[in-house]
Amino acid sequence: MKSFTHLLLAAIVAFAASVSVAHASLPDKDPVDLVRNTADEVLQKLREDPERTREDPEFLFELVDDIILPLIDWQGMSRLILARHWRTAEPEQRERFVKAFRTMLVRTYTLQMAEHMDKDIRVLPHRSFTDDRMASVASEIVMGRGQSNISVNYSLRPVDGEWKVFDLTVEGLSFVTNFRTNFGAEVDRHGLEALIERLEAGDESLIEEAVEAGQGE
């Protein structure tokens, strides 16, 4: 079940990050509307042509490029995940990590989107809040067929005049914290360069190990 929620991360809305930004003014868009409208748009496009969704990988990648990727602050997310290792990394290593991690997530999850286009996302405004520094948008995945719904909370901050998601908490488990723990252990054992090289080589076990660790918590 948790693997689907991590797919939702890549397929429905975006991540962003814990970055230092000025809070002189909040973005014009309401964060609740941002989450709801993005989820609705992605699901609508997936369902418009189910056969194409199932059989045309390029269509899925284009969908992600057009709707998902523009919302993501990949560098900020990478800073949050690498934590102290980001501070000691060379500029070239930071750039490579951001690019490799982005490529790995997109490749790992995009092609699975077709399997879940029948799920609905219900945004819960009464459980959400916004202040001058951040927003939390509560939602749930409607599973149907007698299955329990899955709670998903999006934490957002204003970055460069736009709301960006900096964490995704699924059934109480933080996606970013999970990757930070697993990638941190990998760096401690083998070094940051080894982690980057595994990502660049397309080693999907890095993602699978992080997801499995989350399932076991």
Side-chain angles (χ1 to χ4, degrees):
M1 186 67 66
K2 291 296 186 297
S3 62
F4 167 63
T5 61
H6 288 292
L7 161 65
L8 190 66
L9 150 90
I12 304 301
V13 289
F15 293 118
S18 171
V19 294
S20 298
V21 296
H23 298 284
S25 62
L26 290 176
D28 292 333
K29 292 182 179 179
D30 181 83
V32 172
D33 289 339
L34 176 64
V35 172
R36 180 192 292 113
N37 294 341
T38 303
D40 288 347
E41 183 178 5
V42 171
L43 291 173
Q44 179 182 350
K45 289 186 178 297
L46 290 174
R47 294 166 177 170
E48 282 177 352
D49 190 342
E51 183 175 355
R52 186 182 185 191
T53 295
R54 287 190 294 266
E55 300 181 4
D56 185 356
E58 287 305 313
F59 166 69
L60 297 179
F61 284 113
E62 289 174 6
L63 181 64
V64 170
D65 285 342
D66 291 343
I67 301 176
I68 305 300
L69 297 190
L71 302 178
I72 302 175
D73 180 354
W74 289 103
Q75 185 179 65
M77 180 180 63
S78 297
R79 287 177 59 185
L80 190 61
I81 289 174
L82 288 183
R84 61 188 174 87
H85 300 298
W86 178 270
R87 295 191 292 272
T88 58
E90 297 293 332
E92 179 261 350
Q93 288 180 310
R94 294 175 179 176
E95 182 178 348
R96 288 169 54 213
F97 176 85
V98 171
K99 180 179 179 180
F101 186 59
R102 178 185 64 215
T103 300
M104 177 69 75
L105 282 182
V106 171
R107 187 177 66 193
T108 301
Y109 294 116
T110 297
L111 296 180
Q112 300 178 40
M113 292 170 66
E115 300 175 17
H116 305 288
M117 60 180 167
D118 62 327
K119 305 299 188 298
D120 288 321
I121 312 301
R122 180 182 297 153
V123 176
L124 308 172
H126 63 287
R127 297 183 187 174
S128 306
F129 75 88
T130 302
D131 61 24
D132 62 349
R133 296 186 59 84
M134 68 169 293
S136 176
V137 178
S139 72
E140 58 185 9
I141 305 168
V142 181
M143 301 300 294
R145 299 181 180 178
Q147 301 181 71
S148 299
N149 294 342
I150 300 174
S151 65
V152 182
N153 289 345
Y154 303 94
S155 299
L156 305 92
R157 292 181 180 178
V159 179
D160 296 332
E162 296 183 358
W163 285 111
K164 301 287 185 178
V165 179
F166 66 88
D167 199 7
L168 176 71
T169 304
V170 181
E171 295 290 297
L173 300 178
S174 164
F175 178 90
V176 170
T177 298
N178 197 43
F179 269 94
R180 182 170 60 212
T181 299
N182 283 272
F183 280 11
E186 180 71 16
V187 174
D188 289 340
R189 287 194 299 266
H190 305 293
L192 178 59
E193 184 64 25
L195 172 66
I196 295 171
E197 289 178 355
R198 286 184 66 184
L199 287 170
E200 290 176 333
D203 187 347
E204 294 184 3
S205 65
L206 279 170
I207 306 298
E208 294 169 358
E209 289 164 5
V211 172
E212 289 172 0
Q215 290 175 323
E217 293 182 9

PDB file of all heavy atoms in Angstrom, residues 176-205:
ATOM      1  N   VAL A 176       9.958  12.636   3.085  1.00  0.00           N
ATOM      2  CA  VAL A 176      11.286  13.243   3.093  1.00  0.00           C
ATOM      3  C   VAL A 176      12.134  12.668   4.220  1.00  0.00           C
ATOM      4  O   VAL A 176      13.309  12.345   4.029  1.00  0.00           O
ATOM      5  CB  VAL A 176      11.176  14.773   3.202  1.00  0.00           C
ATOM      6  CG1 VAL A 176      12.549  15.397   3.455  1.00  0.00           C
ATOM      7  CG2 VAL A 176      10.587  15.357   1.914  1.00  0.00           C
ATOM      8  N   THR A 177      11.553  12.524   5.405  1.00  0.00           N
ATOM      9  CA  THR A 177      12.300  11.958   6.526  1.00  0.00           C
ATOM     10  C   THR A 177      12.754  10.540   6.219  1.00  0.00           C
ATOM     11  O   THR A 177      13.873  10.128   6.560  1.00  0.00           O
ATOM     12  CB  THR A 177      11.439  11.962   7.801  1.00  0.00           C
ATOM     13  OG1 THR A 177      11.110  13.310   8.133  1.00  0.00           O
ATOM     14  CG2 THR A 177      12.184  11.342   8.968  1.00  0.00           C
ATOM     15  N   ASN A 178      11.889   9.780   5.553  1.00  0.00           N
ATOM     16  CA  ASN A 178      12.228   8.410   5.210  1.00  0.00           C
ATOM     17  C   ASN A 178      13.440   8.355   4.287  1.00  0.00           C
ATOM     18  O   ASN A 178      14.379   7.578   4.501  1.00  0.00           O
ATOM     19  CB  ASN A 178      11.023   7.743   4.545  1.00  0.00           C
ATOM     20  CG  ASN A 178      11.127   6.233   4.521  1.00  0.00           C
ATOM     21  OD1 ASN A 178      11.517   5.626   5.510  1.00  0.00           O
ATOM     22  ND2 ASN A 178      10.780   5.636   3.404  1.00  0.00           N
ATOM     23  N   PHE A 179      13.438   9.195   3.240  1.00  0.00           N
ATOM     24  CA  PHE A 179      14.585   9.216   2.338  1.00  0.00           C
ATOM     25  C   PHE A 179      15.824   9.767   3.019  1.00  0.00           C
ATOM     26  O   PHE A 179      16.939   9.306   2.775  1.00  0.00           O
ATOM     27  CB  PHE A 179      14.260  10.035   1.084  1.00  0.00           C
ATOM     28  CG  PHE A 179      13.680   9.204  -0.027  1.00  0.00           C
ATOM     29  CD1 PHE A 179      12.309   9.090  -0.189  1.00  0.00           C
ATOM     30  CD2 PHE A 179      14.501   8.507  -0.887  1.00  0.00           C
ATOM     31  CE1 PHE A 179      11.773   8.310  -1.195  1.00  0.00           C
ATOM     32  CE2 PHE A 179      13.985   7.717  -1.897  1.00  0.00           C
ATOM     33  CZ  PHE A 179      12.611   7.617  -2.056  1.00  0.00           C
ATOM     34  N   ARG A 180      15.661  10.759   3.879  1.00  0.00           N
ATOM     35  CA  ARG A 180      16.817  11.319   4.576  1.00  0.00           C
ATOM     36  C   ARG A 180      17.480  10.257   5.453  1.00  0.00           C
ATOM     37  O   ARG A 180      18.709  10.142   5.487  1.00  0.00           O
ATOM     38  CB  ARG A 180      16.384  12.510   5.435  1.00  0.00           C
ATOM     39  CG  ARG A 180      17.547  13.171   6.165  1.00  0.00           C
ATOM     40  CD  ARG A 180      17.113  14.476   6.796  1.00  0.00           C
ATOM     41  NE  ARG A 180      16.039  14.248   7.763  1.00  0.00           N
ATOM     42  CZ  ARG A 180      15.077  15.124   8.018  1.00  0.00           C
ATOM     43  NH1 ARG A 180      15.013  16.269   7.361  1.00  0.00           N
ATOM     44  NH2 ARG A 180      14.166  14.850   8.927  1.00  0.00           N
ATOM     45  N   THR A 181      16.666   9.457   6.136  1.00  0.00           N
ATOM     46  CA  THR A 181      17.217   8.403   6.989  1.00  0.00           C
ATOM     47  C   THR A 181      17.962   7.361   6.170  1.00  0.00           C
ATOM     48  O   THR A 181      19.097   6.977   6.495  1.00  0.00           O
ATOM     49  CB  THR A 181      16.086   7.726   7.785  1.00  0.00           C
ATOM     50  OG1 THR A 181      15.456   8.694   8.623  1.00  0.00           O
ATOM     51  CG2 THR A 181      16.620   6.590   8.630  1.00  0.00           C
ATOM     52  N   ASN A 182      17.344   6.903   5.085  1.00  0.00           N
ATOM     53  CA  ASN A 182      17.956   5.834   4.295  1.00  0.00           C
ATOM     54  C   ASN A 182      19.156   6.317   3.494  1.00  0.00           C
ATOM     55  O   ASN A 182      20.187   5.642   3.427  1.00  0.00           O
ATOM     56  CB  ASN A 182      16.904   5.215   3.375  1.00  0.00           C
ATOM     57  CG  ASN A 182      15.971   4.280   4.116  1.00  0.00           C
ATOM     58  OD1 ASN A 182      16.234   3.099   4.263  1.00  0.00           O
ATOM     59  ND2 ASN A 182      14.884   4.819   4.631  1.00  0.00           N
ATOM     60  N   PHE A 183      19.052   7.478   2.869  1.00  0.00           N
ATOM     61  CA  PHE A 183      20.183   8.008   2.120  1.00  0.00           C
ATOM     62  C   PHE A 183      21.308   8.408   3.061  1.00  0.00           C
ATOM     63  O   PHE A 183      22.493   8.267   2.727  1.00  0.00           O
ATOM     64  CB  PHE A 183      19.749   9.200   1.275  1.00  0.00           C
ATOM     65  CG  PHE A 183      19.052   8.828  -0.007  1.00  0.00           C
ATOM     66  CD1 PHE A 183      18.644   7.534  -0.264  1.00  0.00           C
ATOM     67  CD2 PHE A 183      18.791   9.785  -0.977  1.00  0.00           C
ATOM     68  CE1 PHE A 183      18.000   7.181  -1.438  1.00  0.00           C
ATOM     69  CE2 PHE A 183      18.159   9.452  -2.160  1.00  0.00           C
ATOM     70  CZ  PHE A 183      17.755   8.152  -2.393  1.00  0.00           C
ATOM     71  N   GLY A 184      20.963   8.921   4.250  1.00  0.00           N
ATOM     72  CA  GLY A 184      21.985   9.282   5.214  1.00  0.00           C
ATOM     73  C   GLY A 184      22.804   8.078   5.645  1.00  0.00           C
ATOM     74  O   GLY A 184      24.035   8.152   5.765  1.00  0.00           O
ATOM     75  N   ALA A 185      22.121   6.962   5.865  1.00  0.00           N
ATOM     76  CA  ALA A 185      22.830   5.733   6.245  1.00  0.00           C
ATOM     77  C   ALA A 185      23.737   5.266   5.110  1.00  0.00           C
ATOM     78  O   ALA A 185      24.857   4.788   5.339  1.00  0.00           O
ATOM     79  CB  ALA A 185      21.819   4.650   6.607  1.00  0.00           C
ATOM     80  N   GLU A 186      23.260   5.396   3.873  1.00  0.00           N
ATOM     81  CA  GLU A 186      24.066   5.014   2.712  1.00  0.00           C
ATOM     82  C   GLU A 186      25.320   5.873   2.618  1.00  0.00           C
ATOM     83  O   GLU A 186      26.416   5.370   2.362  1.00  0.00           O
ATOM     84  CB  GLU A 186      23.228   5.151   1.442  1.00  0.00           C
ATOM     85  CG  GLU A 186      23.953   4.785   0.152  1.00  0.00           C
ATOM     86  CD  GLU A 186      24.223   3.306  -0.004  1.00  0.00           C
ATOM     87  OE1 GLU A 186      23.594   2.511   0.724  1.00  0.00           O
ATOM     88  OE2 GLU A 186      25.050   2.939  -0.850  1.00  0.00           O
ATOM     89  N   VAL A 187      25.174   7.171   2.837  1.00  0.00           N
ATOM     90  CA  VAL A 187      26.330   8.068   2.778  1.00  0.00           C
ATOM     91  C   VAL A 187      27.297   7.764   3.905  1.00  0.00           C
ATOM     92  O   VAL A 187      28.529   7.772   3.703  1.00  0.00           O
ATOM     93  CB  VAL A 187      25.878   9.543   2.835  1.00  0.00           C
ATOM     94  CG1 VAL A 187      27.090  10.477   2.924  1.00  0.00           C
ATOM     95  CG2 VAL A 187      25.048   9.894   1.605  1.00  0.00           C
ATOM     96  N   ASP A 188      26.790   7.491   5.089  1.00  0.00           N
ATOM     97  CA  ASP A 188      27.662   7.173   6.217  1.00  0.00           C
ATOM     98  C   ASP A 188      28.484   5.915   5.959  1.00  0.00           C
ATOM     99  O   ASP A 188      29.641   5.811   6.379  1.00  0.00           O
ATOM    100  CB  ASP A 188      26.836   6.990   7.498  1.00  0.00           C
ATOM    101  CG  ASP A 188      26.267   8.307   8.013  1.00  0.00           C
ATOM    102  OD1 ASP A 188      26.796   9.374   7.636  1.00  0.00           O
ATOM    103  OD2 ASP A 188      25.291   8.260   8.787  1.00  0.00           O
ATOM    104  N   ARG A 189      27.880   4.962   5.257  1.00  0.00           N
ATOM    105  CA  ARG A 189      28.587   3.702   4.974  1.00  0.00           C
ATOM    106  C   ARG A 189      29.581   3.834   3.827  1.00  0.00           C
ATOM    107  O   ARG A 189      30.709   3.334   3.904  1.00  0.00           O
ATOM    108  CB  ARG A 189      27.572   2.597   4.653  1.00  0.00           C
ATOM    109  CG  ARG A 189      26.797   2.069   5.830  1.00  0.00           C
ATOM    110  CD  ARG A 189      26.080   0.774   5.471  1.00  0.00           C
ATOM    111  NE  ARG A 189      25.124   0.975   4.388  1.00  0.00           N
ATOM    112  CZ  ARG A 189      23.827   1.243   4.563  1.00  0.00           C
ATOM    113  NH1 ARG A 189      23.339   1.354   5.793  1.00  0.00           N
ATOM    114  NH2 ARG A 189      23.015   1.402   3.536  1.00  0.00           N
ATOM    115  N   HIS A 190      29.167   4.484   2.747  1.00  0.00           N
ATOM    116  CA  HIS A 190      29.960   4.436   1.524  1.00  0.00           C
ATOM    117  C   HIS A 190      30.368   5.800   0.978  1.00  0.00           C
ATOM    118  O   HIS A 190      31.132   5.866   0.013  1.00  0.00           O
ATOM    119  CB  HIS A 190      29.190   3.677   0.432  1.00  0.00           C
ATOM    120  CG  HIS A 190      28.768   2.304   0.852  1.00  0.00           C
ATOM    121  ND1 HIS A 190      29.667   1.278   1.106  1.00  0.00           N
ATOM    122  CD2 HIS A 190      27.530   1.773   1.084  1.00  0.00           C
ATOM    123  CE1 HIS A 190      29.008   0.185   1.452  1.00  0.00           C
ATOM    124  NE2 HIS A 190      27.706   0.454   1.458  1.00  0.00           N
ATOM    125  N   GLY A 191      29.821   6.875   1.538  1.00  0.00           N
ATOM    126  CA  GLY A 191      30.171   8.198   1.052  1.00  0.00           C
ATOM    127  C   GLY A 191      29.146   8.757   0.080  1.00  0.00           C
ATOM    128  O   GLY A 191      28.416   8.008  -0.584  1.00  0.00           O
ATOM    129  N   LEU A 192      29.087  10.080  -0.006  1.00  0.00           N
ATOM    130  CA  LEU A 192      28.126  10.733  -0.877  1.00  0.00           C
ATOM    131  C   LEU A 192      28.368  10.402  -2.340  1.00  0.00           C
ATOM    132  O   LEU A 192      27.422  10.203  -3.109  1.00  0.00           O
ATOM    133  CB  LEU A 192      28.182  12.251  -0.668  1.00  0.00           C
ATOM    134  CG  LEU A 192      27.260  13.089  -1.547  1.00  0.00           C
ATOM    135  CD1 LEU A 192      25.795  12.697  -1.350  1.00  0.00           C
ATOM    136  CD2 LEU A 192      27.458  14.577  -1.269  1.00  0.00           C
ATOM    137  N   GLU A 193      29.615  10.348  -2.741  1.00  0.00           N
ATOM    138  CA  GLU A 193      29.919  10.068  -4.145  1.00  0.00           C
ATOM    139  C   GLU A 193      29.346   8.723  -4.572  1.00  0.00           C
ATOM    140  O   GLU A 193      28.811   8.579  -5.675  1.00  0.00           O
ATOM    141  CB  GLU A 193      31.428  10.107  -4.379  1.00  0.00           C
ATOM    142  CG  GLU A 193      31.857   9.914  -5.824  1.00  0.00           C
ATOM    143  CD  GLU A 193      31.376  11.026  -6.752  1.00  0.00           C
ATOM    144  OE1 GLU A 193      31.143  12.152  -6.263  1.00  0.00           O
ATOM    145  OE2 GLU A 193      31.218  10.757  -7.956  1.00  0.00           O
ATOM    146  N   ALA A 194      29.442   7.722  -3.693  1.00  0.00           N
ATOM    147  CA  ALA A 194      28.908   6.396  -4.018  1.00  0.00           C
ATOM    148  C   ALA A 194      27.387   6.438  -4.175  1.00  0.00           C
ATOM    149  O   ALA A 194      26.836   5.790  -5.066  1.00  0.00           O
ATOM    150  CB  ALA A 194      29.294   5.396  -2.930  1.00  0.00           C
ATOM    151  N   LEU A 195      26.718   7.204  -3.323  1.00  0.00           N
ATOM    152  CA  LEU A 195      25.271   7.342  -3.444  1.00  0.00           C
ATOM    153  C   LEU A 195      24.900   7.985  -4.775  1.00  0.00           C
ATOM    154  O   LEU A 195      23.998   7.505  -5.482  1.00  0.00           O
ATOM    155  CB  LEU A 195      24.727   8.188  -2.292  1.00  0.00           C
ATOM    156  CG  LEU A 195      23.247   8.591  -2.388  1.00  0.00           C
ATOM    157  CD1 LEU A 195      22.346   7.359  -2.299  1.00  0.00           C
ATOM    158  CD2 LEU A 195      22.895   9.596  -1.304  1.00  0.00           C
ATOM    159  N   ILE A 196      25.590   9.046  -5.124  1.00  0.00           N
ATOM    160  CA  ILE A 196      25.305   9.736  -6.386  1.00  0.00           C
ATOM    161  C   ILE A 196      25.533   8.807  -7.568  1.00  0.00           C
ATOM    162  O   ILE A 196      24.731   8.759  -8.511  1.00  0.00           O
ATOM    163  CB  ILE A 196      26.167  11.000  -6.510  1.00  0.00           C
ATOM    164  CG1 ILE A 196      25.781  12.014  -5.426  1.00  0.00           C
ATOM    165  CG2 ILE A 196      26.007  11.623  -7.900  1.00  0.00           C
ATOM    166  CD1 ILE A 196      26.720  13.194  -5.336  1.00  0.00           C
ATOM    167  N   GLU A 197      26.608   8.051  -7.535  1.00  0.00           N
ATOM    168  CA  GLU A 197      26.920   7.150  -8.644  1.00  0.00           C
ATOM    169  C   GLU A 197      25.853   6.063  -8.788  1.00  0.00           C
ATOM    170  O   GLU A 197      25.503   5.675  -9.905  1.00  0.00           O
ATOM    171  CB  GLU A 197      28.302   6.529  -8.442  1.00  0.00           C
ATOM    172  CG  GLU A 197      29.444   7.532  -8.639  1.00  0.00           C
ATOM    173  CD  GLU A 197      30.806   6.920  -8.388  1.00  0.00           C
ATOM    174  OE1 GLU A 197      30.861   5.736  -7.962  1.00  0.00           O
ATOM    175  OE2 GLU A 197      31.814   7.621  -8.607  1.00  0.00           O
ATOM    176  N   ARG A 198      25.330   5.564  -7.669  1.00  0.00           N
ATOM    177  CA  ARG A 198      24.262   4.570  -7.749  1.00  0.00           C
ATOM    178  C   ARG A 198      23.000   5.172  -8.363  1.00  0.00           C
ATOM    179  O   ARG A 198      22.318   4.525  -9.167  1.00  0.00           O
ATOM    180  CB  ARG A 198      23.955   4.009  -6.360  1.00  0.00           C
ATOM    181  CG  ARG A 198      24.993   3.041  -5.821  1.00  0.00           C
ATOM    182  CD  ARG A 198      24.561   2.467  -4.479  1.00  0.00           C
ATOM    183  NE  ARG A 198      23.372   1.625  -4.588  1.00  0.00           N
ATOM    184  CZ  ARG A 198      22.760   1.071  -3.542  1.00  0.00           C
ATOM    185  NH1 ARG A 198      23.218   1.290  -2.309  1.00  0.00           N
ATOM    186  NH2 ARG A 198      21.702   0.311  -3.725  1.00  0.00           N
ATOM    187  N   LEU A 199      22.684   6.414  -7.988  1.00  0.00           N
ATOM    188  CA  LEU A 199      21.525   7.077  -8.575  1.00  0.00           C
ATOM    189  C   LEU A 199      21.733   7.311 -10.065  1.00  0.00           C
ATOM    190  O   LEU A 199      20.834   7.084 -10.878  1.00  0.00           O
ATOM    191  CB  LEU A 199      21.277   8.408  -7.863  1.00  0.00           C
ATOM    192  CG  LEU A 199      20.706   8.329  -6.447  1.00  0.00           C
ATOM    193  CD1 LEU A 199      20.737   9.710  -5.785  1.00  0.00           C
ATOM    194  CD2 LEU A 199      19.283   7.781  -6.452  1.00  0.00           C
ATOM    195  N   GLU A 200      22.916   7.762 -10.432  1.00  0.00           N
ATOM    196  CA  GLU A 200      23.215   8.023 -11.841  1.00  0.00           C
ATOM    197  C   GLU A 200      23.170   6.743 -12.668  1.00  0.00           C
ATOM    198  O   GLU A 200      22.826   6.789 -13.854  1.00  0.00           O
ATOM    199  CB  GLU A 200      24.575   8.692 -11.968  1.00  0.00           C
ATOM    200  CG  GLU A 200      24.605  10.121 -11.443  1.00  0.00           C
ATOM    201  CD  GLU A 200      25.981  10.742 -11.479  1.00  0.00           C
ATOM    202  OE1 GLU A 200      26.990   9.994 -11.404  1.00  0.00           O
ATOM    203  OE2 GLU A 200      26.081  11.976 -11.584  1.00  0.00           O
ATOM    204  N   ALA A 201      23.511   5.625 -12.046  1.00  0.00           N
ATOM    205  CA  ALA A 201      23.501   4.339 -12.739  1.00  0.00           C
ATOM    206  C   ALA A 201      22.092   3.752 -12.837  1.00  0.00           C
ATOM    207  O   ALA A 201      21.887   2.702 -13.451  1.00  0.00           O
ATOM    208  CB  ALA A 201      24.430   3.354 -12.043  1.00  0.00           C
ATOM    209  N   GLY A 202      21.115   4.425 -12.200  1.00  0.00           N
ATOM    210  CA  GLY A 202      19.742   3.935 -12.255  1.00  0.00           C
ATOM    211  C   GLY A 202      19.468   2.772 -11.326  1.00  0.00           C
ATOM    212  O   GLY A 202      18.624   1.917 -11.623  1.00  0.00           O
ATOM    213  N   ASP A 203      20.159   2.722 -10.192  1.00  0.00           N
ATOM    214  CA  ASP A 203      19.984   1.638  -9.239  1.00  0.00           C
ATOM    215  C   ASP A 203      18.673   1.841  -8.481  1.00  0.00           C
ATOM    216  O   ASP A 203      18.618   2.546  -7.474  1.00  0.00           O
ATOM    217  CB  ASP A 203      21.165   1.612  -8.272  1.00  0.00           C
ATOM    218  CG  ASP A 203      21.149   0.395  -7.354  1.00  0.00           C
ATOM    219  OD1 ASP A 203      20.109  -0.289  -7.303  1.00  0.00           O
ATOM    220  OD2 ASP A 203      22.169   0.137  -6.690  1.00  0.00           O
ATOM    221  N   GLU A 204      17.611   1.205  -8.952  1.00  0.00           N
ATOM    222  CA  GLU A 204      16.288   1.399  -8.365  1.00  0.00           C
ATOM    223  C   GLU A 204      16.169   0.800  -6.969  1.00  0.00           C
ATOM    224  O   GLU A 204      15.223   1.111  -6.243  1.00  0.00           O
ATOM    225  CB  GLU A 204      15.223   0.809  -9.283  1.00  0.00           C
ATOM    226  CG  GLU A 204      15.109   1.530 -10.614  1.00  0.00           C
ATOM    227  CD  GLU A 204      13.988   0.997 -11.483  1.00  0.00           C
ATOM    228  OE1 GLU A 204      13.253   0.095 -11.006  1.00  0.00           O
ATOM    229  OE2 GLU A 204      13.846   1.462 -12.623  1.00  0.00           O
ATOM    230  N   SER A 205      17.133  -0.034  -6.582  1.00  0.00           N
ATOM    231  CA  SER A 205      17.062  -0.611  -5.236  1.00  0.00           C
ATOM    232  C   SER A 205      17.174   0.471  -4.167  1.00  0.00           C
ATOM    233  O   SER A 205      16.668   0.295  -3.049  1.00  0.00           O
ATOM    234  CB  SER A 205      18.167  -1.649  -5.039  1.00  0.00           C
ATOM    235  OG  SER A 205      19.457  -1.047  -5.086  1.00  0.00           O
TER     236      SER A 205
END
